[in-house]
């Protein structure tokens, strides 16, 4: 399966498990050789088919669990009969989207690392070593190219006759991972698919050229990307810094996920190459630009040590202005002939060195240790700091993770601490400066009650986190739950941002999800209606009410996700929806499952990926009278649609990408989307060349213009209905 940590993979829309995929075959240890060989052949054939259905046709025919059991069976048989492993074995299919890992690439020229210099003196010594090694006269100038050291992931890109044929990670320097498919998603973002300047037969460009470069994310794009990840729900991976995000994105097994990430590349070096016709690194950088690569515009050619240090010092102080993370300057001897002569020493070239920037550290005083309360009641301590500038960014808070971490570092209020921004967005407390500790500084004790609602805060055995037990009675949890409830993957109430929720909660306008659907009605009776409040107007208030109205119909899986049940992310919500199909049947089953000796409990725990801990959380949620009150009230205000099931594969919309725009007259946008999805379509917000149909309702605007410009099929609401009308909907609409 693609990266399990990531929820923006396409969910597999499958109802419960049947035995058809695995077949009624004997256990692996009962197989004789012949049977094993036949079984491996059968499995290879089946997996090819299911991979194709899943990845190319977006129409999977088996569940994740069934798919995994096929793979596990294949692996188990291969482990028993290693010599029977087939050339087309699913476990060998490397680089393909569902491979368990990547293939390996042996670098024709090793990818080395760099020696570091941390001071001007060390840089001067580097130049002295170079001069001595080459036996240069004192007056002979040594030109050096100074380039920013990008904090990303290094890759090697191989072009043959001008065409990109293979891309790899650095790996251990000798052997890297084959990430060709993922790197193809960077075409036009710093790397060309074909070297510019050559003809169709590769004349005019090197026959072989391996370009080395760094894949990175800009800080702004990283923050935006993390924000979107957050919206995807609790299971989506949040990255600590742009470098981790770039690395995680490049190492996705499904290149479509990589393609959605904001990655870019700077080229700066070369591996295998022939013919080779540049005499200096500076000239080579120019060639790279000519071939169509992005080359860092901050690179400078220096003639003296003073010039080199000036480049370093200037970028060190202006580091925060550079839109991506850099952690130093790389100096490279410019003349290729000298580079060749200097060669390598162990794992690093003699002709280059990295002059690192000082770590982004600062000292400041802890003014308070504050505890915030999350949606599930988790208490997270944060240090409030005397504001201080770290690497160009003013910092007034630092994360302390959890109470064990505070105890380990013994951080106390009043302490002077060293904080560091190691590329991470939120700084860390690295250490306490003990000599500066005030005499009366007391060790920090974690609160026994919730700082917001005073309910007992307990730490269950085996949990590193202490939690408030107040549930929705706790305003902090209530606000976080509301934010989750309206988030994109849940009720998707655009126009109701986090700040609004906080304001509405504080003003008593919305204190539970139920109030959301009574907002308009309540608002009418208020002295100061929403439209008259600061930051709002008649139009924006109307728009919000309209959105809320259209969201009154919601699919069961979104509804379950919106409830914010512990351990129930988007995927688990879908699994539960597929299993129980309607809200009343799910609710009845959960109430019955409170009896752990009964059938309902058994049925629940055997759901794929469930297990007793998650099952316990779901049952606890549905047996809490406070939850049931909210559910009952919601039942009168929203329509929870039964699980829509799997798309019929023969639907004309199966596998198609559809964009809805404008106002539809026969149904809400929400319903239209659900219907399209039920017919196997993928509904997206923006128009691109990948869009198959644009359904234009009344007053459709720019999306239709764009679709026209792209020559896409534009359907009226009636035409779209006609397309779907011939089909029956799984739940008889
Ligand atoms: S040259 C043979 N130039 O730094 C030396 N490396 O610490 C090849 N890096 O693995 C490296 N920006 O990932 C070079 N302008 C730059 C660089 C750069 C970032 C990374 C690269 C390398 C690491 C070495």
């Amino acid at each position: 399966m693609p990266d399990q940590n990531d929820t923006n993979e396409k969910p597999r829309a499958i109802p419960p498990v049947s035995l058809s995929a695995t077949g009624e075959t004997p256990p692996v240890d009962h197989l004789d050789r012949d049977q094993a060989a036949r079984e491996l052949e059968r499995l290879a054939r089946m997996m090819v088919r299911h991979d194709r259905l899943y990845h190319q046709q977006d129409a999977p025919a088996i569940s994740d669990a069934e798919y995994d059991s096929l793979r596990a069976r294949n692996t188990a048989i291969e482990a028993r009969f290693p010599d029977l492993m087939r050339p087309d074995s699913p476990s060998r299919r490397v680089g393909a989207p569902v491979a368990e890992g990547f293939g390996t690439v042996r670098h024709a020229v090793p990818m080395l690392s760099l020696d570091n210099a941390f001071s001007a003196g060390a840089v001067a010594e580097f130049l002295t070593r170079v001069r001595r090694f080459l036996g240069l006269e004192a007056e002979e100038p040594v030109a050096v190219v100074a380039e920013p050291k990008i904090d990303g992931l290094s890759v090697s890109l191989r072009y043959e006759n001008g065409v990109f044929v293979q891309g790899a990670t650095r790996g251990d320097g000798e052997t890297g991972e084959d990430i060709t498919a993922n790197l193809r998603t960077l075409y036009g973002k710093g790397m060309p698919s074909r070297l510019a300047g050559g003809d169709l037969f590769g004349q005019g460009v090197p026959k072989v050229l391996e370009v080395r470069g760094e894949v990175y994310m800009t800080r702004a794009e990283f923050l935006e990307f993390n924000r979107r990840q957050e919206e995807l729900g609790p299971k989506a991976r949040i990255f600590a810094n742009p470098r981790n995000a770039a690395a995680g994105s490049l190492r996705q097994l499904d290149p479509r996920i990589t393609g959605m990430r904001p990655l870019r590349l700077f080229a700066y070096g070369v591996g295998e190459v022939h013919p080779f016709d540049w005499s200096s690194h500076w000239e080579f950088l120019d060639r790279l630009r000519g071939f169509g690569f992005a080359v860092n515009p901050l690179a400078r050619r220096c003639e003296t040590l003073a010039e080199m240090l000036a480049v370093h010092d200037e970028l060190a102080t202006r580091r925060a202005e550079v839109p991506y993370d850099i952690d130093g300057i790389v100096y490279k001897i410019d003349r290729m002939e000298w580079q060749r002569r200097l060669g390598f020493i162990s794992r690093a070239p003699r002709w280059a060195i990295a002059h690192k920037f000082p770590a982004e550290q600062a000292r400041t005083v802890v003014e308070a240790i504050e505890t915030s309360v999350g949606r599930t009641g988790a208490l997270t301590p944060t240090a409030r700091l005397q504001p201080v500038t770290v690497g160009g960014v003013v910092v007034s808070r630092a994360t302390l993770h959890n109470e064990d971490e505070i105890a380990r570092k013994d951080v106390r209020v009043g302490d002077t601490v060293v904080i560091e921004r190691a590329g991470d967005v939120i700084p860390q407390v690295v250490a306490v400066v003990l000599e500066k500790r005030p005499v009366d500084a007391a060790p920090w004790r974690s609160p026994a009650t919730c700082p917001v609602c005073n309910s007992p805060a307990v730490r269950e055995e085996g949990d590193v986190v202490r939690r408030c037990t107040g549930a929705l009675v706790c305003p902090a949890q209530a606000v976080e739950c509301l934010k989750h409830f309206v988030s994109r993957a849940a009720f998707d109430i655009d126009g109701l941002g986090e700040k609004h929720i906080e304001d509405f909660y504080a003003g008593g306008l919305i204190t539970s999800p139920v109030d959301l659907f009574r907002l308009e009605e309540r608002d009418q009776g208020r002295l100061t209606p929403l439209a008259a409040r600061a930051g709002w107007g008649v139009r924006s208030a109307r728009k919000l009410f309209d959105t809320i109205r259209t969201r009154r119909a919601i699919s069961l899986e979104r509804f379950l996700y919106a409830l914010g049940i512990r351990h129930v992310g988007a995927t688990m919500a879908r699994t539960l929806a597929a299993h129980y199909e309607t809200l009343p049947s799910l609710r009845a089953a959960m109430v019955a499952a409170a009896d752990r000796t009964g059938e309902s409990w058994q049925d629940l725990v055997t759901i794929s990926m469930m297990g007793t801990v998650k099952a316990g959380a779901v049952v606890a949620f549905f047996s809490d009278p406070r939850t049931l009150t909210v559910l009952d009230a919601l039942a009168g205000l929203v329509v929870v649609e039964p699980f829509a099931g799997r798309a019929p594969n023969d639907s004309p919309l199966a596998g198609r990408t559809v964009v809805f725009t404008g106002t539809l007259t026969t149904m809400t946008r929400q319903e239209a989307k659900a219907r399209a999805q039920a017919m196997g379509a993928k509904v997206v917000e923006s128009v691109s060349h990948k869009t198959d149909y644009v359904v234009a309702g009344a007053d459709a605007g720019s999306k239709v213009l764009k679709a026209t410009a792209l020559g896409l099929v534009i359907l009226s609401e009636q035409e779209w209905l006609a397309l779907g009308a011939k089909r029956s909907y799984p739940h008889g609409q």
Side-chain angles (χ1 to χ4, degrees):
M1 295 291 102
D3 190 344
Q4 299 288 333
N5 293 325
D6 219 300
T7 54
N8 61 0
E9 56 178 304
K10 188 184 166 300
R12 287 178 167 226
I14 310 294
V17 180
S18 81
L19 261 180
S20 61
T22 41
E24 305 290 340
T25 44
V28 173
D29 37 358
H30 291 185
L31 295 174
D32 63 29
R33 250 186 101 73
D34 281 356
Q35 283 172 318
R38 273 200 305 278
E39 182 65 354
L40 286 177
E41 199 246 54
R42 187 183 78 97
L43 287 168
R45 238 183 317 113
M46 281 175 81
M47 305 269 297
V48 165
R49 185 171 97 82
H50 291 304
D51 284 351
R52 203 180 48 236
L53 285 171
Y54 178 63
H55 286 287
Q56 282 153 31
Q57 298 171 16
D58 283 350
I62 55 171
S63 69
D64 278 9
E66 287 169 313
Y67 183 92
D68 292 343
S69 72
L70 289 179
R71 179 175 280 286
R73 185 167 170 82
N74 188 74
T75 313
I77 301 175
E78 284 175 352
R80 259 195 80 202
F81 302 99
D83 57 315
L84 291 184
M85 184 190 275
R86 304 166 55 85
D88 63 347
S89 160
S91 46
R92 262 187 219 246
R93 218 168 314 126
V94 288
V98 285
E100 256 169 10
F102 295 101
T104 51
V105 173
R106 212 180 151 71
H107 300 301
V109 174
M111 291 180 78
L112 301 164
S113 54
L114 289 168
D115 278 342
N116 290 324
F118 293 97
S119 64
V123 178
E125 280 168 23
F126 161 72
L127 283 182
T128 310
R129 278 199 303 277
V130 167
R131 289 183 164 283
R132 200 180 311 124
F133 189 94
L134 295 172
L136 301 179
E137 302 289 339
E139 56 280 6
E140 174 108 47
V142 175
V144 167
V145 175
E147 297 169 7
K149 186 168 184 299
I150 318 293
D151 200 5
L153 197 86
S154 56
V155 293
S156 185
L157 312 168
R158 187 175 175 92
Y159 291 79
E160 289 178 5
N161 299 316
V163 178
F164 175 63
V165 292
Q166 189 172 57
T169 60
R170 174 167 179 259
D172 64 2
E174 303 283 336
T175 308
E177 289 161 316
D178 184 340
I179 52 163
T180 311
N182 291 350
L183 285 167
R184 288 191 201 281
T185 68
L186 271 93
Y187 289 165
K189 295 175 177 176
M191 74 174 271
S193 58
R194 185 182 271 275
L195 301 180
D199 67 13
L200 219 51
F201 307 101
Q203 300 294 313
V205 292
K207 275 182 92 55
V208 174
L209 174 68
E210 265 179 25
V211 171
R212 305 271 159 92
E214 201 84 353
V215 173
Y216 67 99
M217 262 187 209
T218 64
R219 274 193 300 276
E221 284 173 322
F222 159 71
L223 290 173
E224 170 60 18
F225 163 65
N226 250 1
R227 198 188 56 71
R228 286 200 311 268
Q229 288 289 98
E230 250 166 40
E231 280 180 6
L232 285 174
K235 277 214 182 151
R237 191 152 159 211
I238 304 295
F239 292 93
N241 54 44
R243 189 172 58 79
N244 287 357
S249 301
L250 261 193
R251 299 201 63 267
Q252 289 290 328
L253 292 173
D254 183 345
R256 287 173 307 180
I257 295 180
T258 310
M260 290 188 278
R261 307 278 170 92
L263 298 174
R264 297 160 187 268
L265 174 122
F266 276 129
Y268 53 66
V270 69
E272 186 181 356
V273 53
H274 43 91
F276 169 102
D277 66 350
W278 45 87
S279 59
S280 72
H281 183 67
W282 193 241
E283 195 185 332
F284 167 64
L285 292 183
D286 239 10
R287 283 305 207 77
L288 284 177
R289 272 189 210 101
F291 288 144
F293 291 95
V295 172
N296 197 293
L298 300 168
R300 298 281 177 270
R301 188 171 183 275
C302 307
E303 305 269 0
T304 63
L305 173 64
E307 279 175 39
M308 291 159 65
L309 298 177
V311 173
H312 173 272
D313 294 352
E314 183 179 358
L315 272 179
T317 44
R318 300 184 48 199
R319 195 172 170 183
E321 294 166 37
V322 180
Y324 38 83
D325 282 345
I326 50 180
D327 56 355
I329 299 290
V330 185
Y331 303 122
K332 299 173 181 175
I333 300 298
D334 192 30
R335 205 192 275 192
M336 296 310 286
E337 172 56 14
W338 284 349
Q339 281 195 12
R340 191 191 57 75
R341 282 173 55 198
L342 285 159
F344 303 89
I345 181 163
S346 70
R347 320 230 355 105
R350 267 196 208 88
W351 47 265
I353 197 160
H355 189 182
K356 299 297 280 279
F357 292 149
E360 291 185 300
Q361 281 194 343
R363 279 184 182 200
T364 186
V365 174
V366 177
E367 288 181 337
I369 295 180
E370 293 170 346
T371 309
S372 63
V373 186
R375 179 167 60 84
T376 58
L379 304 191
T380 309
T382 306
R384 201 180 71 218
L385 307 167
Q386 255 171 30
V388 60
T389 306
V390 192
V393 179
V394 178
V395 165
S396 54
R397 307 174 73 77
T399 172
L400 291 165
H401 302 289
N402 55 50
E403 54 193 71
D404 289 354
E405 197 60 18
I406 300 183
R408 198 173 61 75
K409 291 179 184 152
D410 189 17
V411 182
R412 304 181 184 188
V413 174
D415 270 345
T416 295
V417 289
V418 178
I419 58 163
E420 188 170 282
R421 261 189 73 230
D424 296 3
V425 185
I426 305 168
Q428 318 270 335
V429 171
V430 182
V432 173
V433 186
L434 282 176
E435 317 81 79
K436 293 202 154 196
R437 170 167 285 169
V439 279
D440 57 347
W444 185 76
R445 300 256 307 271
S446 59
T449 56
C450 169
V452 180
C453 72
N454 261 327
S455 303
V458 297
R459 183 171 166 183
E460 280 167 20
E461 225 185 287
D463 201 349
V464 286
V465 172
R466 184 174 294 273
R467 288 175 204 275
C468 159
T469 52
L472 292 181
V473 172
C474 171
Q477 287 190 57
V479 166
E480 292 308 314
C481 282
L482 282 169
K483 290 179 187 169
H484 176 75
F485 194 81
V486 302
S487 66
R488 190 172 298 175
F491 269 80
D492 188 20
I493 301 188
D494 207 20
L496 200 55
E498 301 207 341
K499 267 253 107 341
H500 298 133
I501 296 272
E502 283 163 20
D503 288 352
F504 288 180
Y505 188 89
L509 205 56
I510 299 181
T511 56
S512 103
V514 178
D515 298 338
L516 201 66
F517 297 99
R518 294 192 186 134
L519 186 64
E520 188 174 1
E521 184 192 317
R522 282 187 168 200
D523 193 52
Q524 280 161 3
R526 287 178 79 92
L527 228 46
T528 317
L530 189 57
R533 286 181 163 223
W536 291 87
V538 178
R539 275 175 59 144
S540 54
R542 176 104 327 269
K543 206 165 155 219
L544 175 63
F545 296 145
D546 286 349
T547 309
I548 294 175
R549 212 172 314 119
T550 61
R551 297 298 188 268
R552 283 176 187 255
I554 188 165
S555 66
L556 177 58
E557 63 259 43
R558 270 180 180 263
F559 182 77
L560 288 175
Y561 173 72
L563 294 177
I565 308 167
R566 229 173 121 194
H567 302 303
V568 179
T571 310
M572 185 51 78
R574 194 174 170 85
T575 308
L576 284 168
H579 193 79
Y580 294 100
E581 296 195 341
T582 67
L583 183 59
S585 75
L586 176 118
R587 184 174 162 171
M590 292 310 102
V591 172
D595 169 9
R596 294 208 176 189
T597 58
E599 247 177 57
S600 296
W601 171 259
Q602 267 318 308
D603 186 42
L604 176 65
V605 291
T606 44
I607 292 177
S608 146
M609 307 300 290
M610 178 60 77
T612 50
V613 173
K614 293 181 191 173
V618 182
V619 171
F621 183 87
F622 282 93
S623 48
D624 186 331
R626 293 172 295 194
T627 308
L628 297 180
T629 313
V630 172
L631 276 183
D632 287 337
L634 275 178
L637 295 163
V638 302
V639 177
V640 182
E641 292 159 350
F643 183 65
R646 188 146 57 91
N649 286 342
D650 60 346
S651 145
L653 288 180
R656 303 301 172 132
T657 301
V658 181
V659 173
F660 288 98
T661 179
T663 316
L664 302 178
T665 52
T666 56
M667 63 185 80
T668 63
R669 180 81 70 86
Q670 170 85 8
E671 185 183 346
K673 271 188 183 178
R675 284 201 184 195
Q677 282 161 349
M679 288 193 294
K682 187 167 144 203
V683 180
V684 297
E685 288 302 318
S686 55
V687 172
S688 76
H689 63 276
K690 292 193 197 129
T691 311
D692 293 299
Y693 298 117
V694 174
V695 180
D699 301 328
S702 61
K703 289 186 187 172
V704 168
L705 288 180
K706 185 162 180 200
T708 314
L710 290 170
L712 304 177
V713 179
I714 301 169
L715 302 176
S716 68
E717 188 176 352
Q718 274 61 39
E719 285 168 328
W720 179 71
L721 284 173
L723 202 64
K726 295 183 211 94
R727 314 281 140 191
S728 61
Y729 295 104
H731 285 280
Q733 292 153 59

